[in-house]
Amino acid sequence: MNEKILKILDQFALDAAVVSAERYGGGHINETYLVVTASGRRYILQRINQYVFKNVEGLMGNIAAVTEYLREIVTDPRGVMTLVKTTAGKDYLTHEDGNFWRVYDFVEDSICLQLPETPEDFYQSAVAFGNFQQQLKDFPAHTLCEVIPNFHNTADRYRLFREALAADVCGRAAQVRDEVEFALAREEEAATLVNMLAAGELPLRVTHNDTKLNNVMLDARTRKPLCVVDLDTVMPGLSLYDFGDSIRFGAATAAEDEKDLSKVWMDLNLYETYTRGFLSACPGLTQNERDMLPMGAKLMTLECGVRFLTDYLNGDVYFSTHYEGQNLDRCRTQFKLVADMESKWDDMKRIVKECE
Ligand code: GN1
Ligand code: MG
């Protein structure tokens, strides 16, 4: 076993001596290990990525506050992530080399899916994220720190896009005139949700901000949700961000970087499935939030497309890419999804009404 990892684990209040610690999972951000102790108990050890997360203290403060709050509500201990404290009683360890480490209890008897195997799986992920929203409806969201400032401030994303377009550091602007035009034609509408928040028409909520299926743990036996994981981007926001990002990713018929746009659209059946699951688990949404669900889906998709386009103009510095032009391909699928949603707008609104 790795000596350094053992020394780190020594500083956490585990139940018994460590017998193994192996690299685990497919995450792209943090470094993760599965730890087993002499009693057979399992833990997850993670080194927090400080390049992506500059404010680890704020991030860990958010996770501790939200998980402690949820623990009072859930009945199954697997219904919430549990941080294991350090021997000094802290929620994370600051190592002498400057890295930050944390330990969670392993969520036993659970599965985690990369893609839905059936529409029911997608439905259950909607229930999981709806539950998360519902359970935290009275949590004072403003007390959480904004882990990544302006993360879903769509208006601010446009400001950064305009800056990138004006600077055109890679000389790519001329190739993307159609995409630029598509984005700019929707700039005013893109501010709809942030304007409603500022006007007090939408409530500030605790949001997860990475509402993909693989961030839900399902019970291995019942295939029903246990808890949501990857709480690093939990911060104050709008419920519509979480709903919208799920639709953007989960109701799309093709990969985010599909080149053949004729394969890309938003599947209305999957949209309906997710909406039904989310609304059934989250009856506490206000009428304005319900009415704006289609707008949440559209604006999260538009925003993501604008972010990909901005990164393409900037020379692919934020999103990791595997080939030249991948960010432009990603931008195009997102804009195709937006156009498809616009053509299905009345159906999207009708489905929300039918699910209420
Ligand atoms: C990033 O790292 P990943 O794939 O979970 C991004 C999301 C985007 C997504 C698009 C912290 O998420 O906001 O929607 O890529 N996360 C961050 O694929 O920027
Ligand atoms: Mg993630």
Side-chain angles (χ1 to χ4, degrees):
M1 252 183 301
N2 181 323
E3 276 306 308
K4 183 178 163 189
I5 296 295
L6 273 179
K7 282 214 174 99
I8 286 161
L9 286 166
D10 234 15
Q11 297 177 67
F12 283 90
L14 307 183
D15 72 316
V18 173
V19 295
S20 69
E22 306 286 340
R23 282 298 289 268
Y24 183 76
H28 298 311
I29 307 279
N30 299 316
E31 191 179 304
T32 304
Y33 296 81
L34 175 64
V35 177
V36 185
T37 66
S39 70
R41 226 171 126 167
R42 301 199 285 175
Y43 298 91
I44 288 290
L45 168 72
Q46 283 184 317
R47 182 171 66 81
I48 303 165
N49 183 323
Q50 290 177 72
Y51 177 76
V52 174
F53 301 112
K54 312 280 184 216
N55 179 1
V56 173
E57 190 181 351
L59 175 156
M60 288 306 296
N62 284 356
I63 294 180
V66 164
T67 56
E68 277 162 26
Y69 184 91
L70 289 176
R71 193 165 340 280
E72 301 296 315
I73 299 174
V74 299
T75 43
D76 185 333
R78 296 175 302 163
V80 58
M81 298 282 278
T82 302
L83 282 168
V84 176
K85 296 220 188 259
T86 67
T87 48
K90 283 200 66 185
D91 291 319
Y92 61 98
L93 178 76
T94 309
H95 193 262
E96 55 203 24
D97 67 5
N99 283 309
F100 297 102
W101 296 83
R102 69 176 167 220
V103 172
Y104 285 113
D105 278 338
F106 189 83
V107 182
E108 295 291 352
D109 304 314
S110 65
I111 53 170
C112 166
L113 298 173
Q114 295 308 318
L115 280 174
E117 285 166 17
T118 62
E120 176 68 14
D121 292 334
F122 192 47
Y123 178 84
Q124 293 303 344
S125 79
V127 170
F129 288 114
N131 269 338
F132 183 76
Q133 194 56 251
Q134 181 71 15
Q135 289 168 332
L136 290 164
K137 71 179 187 350
D138 297 323
F139 186 101
H142 67 275
T143 61
L144 295 177
C145 113
E146 227 186 315
V147 181
I148 301 177
N150 290 318
F151 192 56
H152 282 316
N153 182 335
T154 315
D156 197 61
R157 294 290 184 184
Y158 265 84
R159 181 183 64 77
L160 297 172
F161 164 58
R162 281 187 175 277
E163 272 179 28
L165 186 61
D168 193 19
V169 290
C170 298
R172 289 173 166 177
Q175 313 157 21
V176 294
R177 288 217 179 90
D178 291 350
E179 288 75 19
V180 168
E181 194 188 321
F182 186 95
L184 292 180
R186 288 155 183 82
E187 183 167 13
E188 218 179 288
E189 188 178 33
T192 306
L193 297 180
V194 285
N195 287 344
M196 287 180 78
L197 174 66
E201 292 162 5
L202 289 171
L204 193 71
R205 303 273 193 191
V206 180
T207 47
H208 180 280
N209 290 307
D210 193 5
T211 49
K212 285 181 287 201
L213 183 71
N214 64 5
N215 282 332
V216 175
M217 305 304 283
L218 300 175
D219 187 301
R221 202 172 44 82
T222 62
R223 244 181 145 92
K224 295 262 161 52
L226 289 170
C227 61
V228 301
V229 300
D230 191 357
L231 304 177
D232 291 329
T233 49
V234 167
M235 58 183 134
L238 297 176
S239 59
L240 302 163
Y241 300 160
D242 280 358
F243 175 84
D245 208 34
S246 294
I247 299 300
R248 176 190 81 74
F249 194 82
T253 54
E256 207 169 61
D257 57 359
E258 173 61 56
K259 284 178 188 291
D260 179 355
L261 293 181
S262 72
K263 293 184 181 157
V264 183
W265 68 90
M266 187 209 51
D267 184 318
L268 261 185
N269 288 325
L270 288 174
Y271 170 83
E272 196 265 341
T273 299
Y274 195 93
T275 305
R276 206 161 31 82
F278 194 77
L279 284 177
S280 72
C282 195
L285 293 186
T286 65
Q287 194 57 50
N288 276 349
E289 286 176 299
R290 289 159 189 273
D291 292 345
M292 286 294 134
L293 287 172
M295 190 60 88
K298 176 172 164 180
L299 292 193
M300 283 301 96
T301 312
L302 177 64
E303 177 189 287
C304 201
V306 167
R307 289 174 68 192
F308 289 139
L309 184 55
T310 304
D311 201 35
Y312 182 69
L313 291 166
N314 284 339
D316 311 310
V317 288
Y318 185 91
F319 295 106
S320 56
T321 50
H322 308 294
Y323 62 86
E324 168 99 20
Q326 192 174 12
N327 272 322
L328 182 57
D329 288 341
R330 289 168 174 156
C331 158
R332 287 178 172 149
T333 62
Q334 302 307 295
F335 287 177
K336 171 76 196 287
L337 286 169
V338 170
D340 190 50
M341 290 180 199
E342 287 172 348
S343 76
K344 293 171 176 164
W345 202 241
D346 291 342
D347 286 322
M348 289 173 74
K349 290 207 305 208
R350 173 183 53 76
I351 287 168
V352 172
K353 288 280 165 230
E354 285 170 5
C355 292
E356 275 184 278

